[in-house]
Amino acid sequence: MTKFKQNLPILSPLFIALVILHSLFVDYSVQFPDFITTDSQEQNEEMMKPKVIQESGLIGKIAYLESFLVELESKELPIDTDLEETKDSVKRVLIGQKLFLGLVLFYLFLTFSTAVTYAFRAWFHKSIAHVLYPVSLVVLLPKLFIQLNLMAQKDILSYFYSAFLIFTYGITILAYRTIIKDKELYEGFQSLQFSSSLEEEGRSPSNTKTGSYFAPIFHVIVIIFIGILIGNLIYIPLFLLQKHYVSEFSYFIFFLIALLSVFYIFNYNKVGGESKNKNWQNLTVSFAYLQYRFLRNGFLSIFSTILIILFVTFLFSLLLFNIDLIQNNLGLFGKASEF
């Protein structure tokens, strides 16, 4: 039993991944029927009950939107038909669905990273687990409620899927509890912890030697010049691309992100790979560490944004309070209006 509990952090992400894969192809929505009165009270109550409807998953929705967009751009439509706003709206929705698909795939890969980091004793495995398991507990709960409603509608498949979700929810709780109570010190891939300060990641040691007073001015001029070049040669063309070529621009951005991710994975493998492990093992942990960096930087960005918003809101509120206090007590604004 103890060995089974120790293997739960490796097995439970597999079941969570199966639930995520199922949601990519099959989705459910709750339909509220219109109120129609009949002579029987029992029929009224039955008709007013919300029903769970099975529909296509995220991949099916994206395929439908793409086919619908192809129909809108068809040459068979009348020439005087103006559908530009509709096309732009559909393209925006399509980009939103694809971004959500990217988020779901990141969540899917996170299950793999959680199992891999625990299996190879990586030092950052608890940080990833503290993200995966709480999110999974929140995600699995509404899916379980939907299947229970389908059971009330006498759906045969919902019985099996409900049992699978209950089992997945249970082992997820046990696996997270096992990780929290585990006091063992994991020291695998410690070199990745200091990868940001290593020269192999593209950062050379900083030169502490002071220069002349003209060096900062020269640096500011160079920064302004580079900023003008980047704005005119990169930012403005990218803005025009995302405005007029929405789909192509999204594919281009995803390609750049994937290319940069591959670069970092091989870079982390070179910096933090351990000689006792095989190359594929070091690559899998490097992939997991890239996700860890994404999560850490993402949380830091969100936290910093919230702090900035709160700080600006506080300053703005304080300014309004001071203006109101001066106007009501000192009457300076009223005296100034007399001149």
Side-chain angles (χ1 to χ4, degrees), residues 15 28 68 73 143 151-152 184 192 209 212 264 272 307 315:
F15 291 94
Y28 302 92
F68 180 65
E73 294 177 347
K143 295 183 179 295
M151 289 175 60
E184 184 179 352
L192 286 174
K209 188 176 181 180
S212 63
Y264 270 99
L307 285 181
L315 289 181

Side-chain angles (χ1 to χ4, degrees), residues 14-15 17-18 69 72 75 90 105 114-115 117 182 184 213 228 236 249 254-255 259 266 300 304 324 326 329-330:
L14 174 62
F15 291 94
L18 292 177
L69 189 60
L72 288 178
K75 296 181 179 180
V90 173
L105 291 178
T114 305
T117 52
D182 189 7
E184 184 179 352
Y213 293 103
I228 294 173
I236 294 177
F249 180 77
F254 290 150
F255 171 74
L259 189 64
F266 282 97
L300 288 177
S304 301
D324 185 66
I326 293 173
N329 296 330
L330 299 179

Side-chain angles (χ1 to χ4, degrees), residues 123-170:
W123 60 271
F124 55 94
H125 83 282
K126 282 192 175 182
S127 299
I128 296 182
H130 288 324
V131 175
L132 174 69
Y133 288 107
V135 171
S136 299
L137 293 175
V138 174
V139 170
L140 291 175
L141 197 58
K143 295 183 179 295
L144 181 58
F145 286 148
I146 288 176
Q147 294 303 316
L148 293 177
N149 289 327
L150 284 174
M151 289 175 60
Q153 296 176 200
K154 309 300 182 182
D155 190 336
I156 303 300
L157 294 177
S158 63
Y159 290 92
F160 300 98
Y161 194 45
S162 297
F164 177 77
L165 286 176
I166 291 173
F167 176 75
T168 304
Y169 202 84

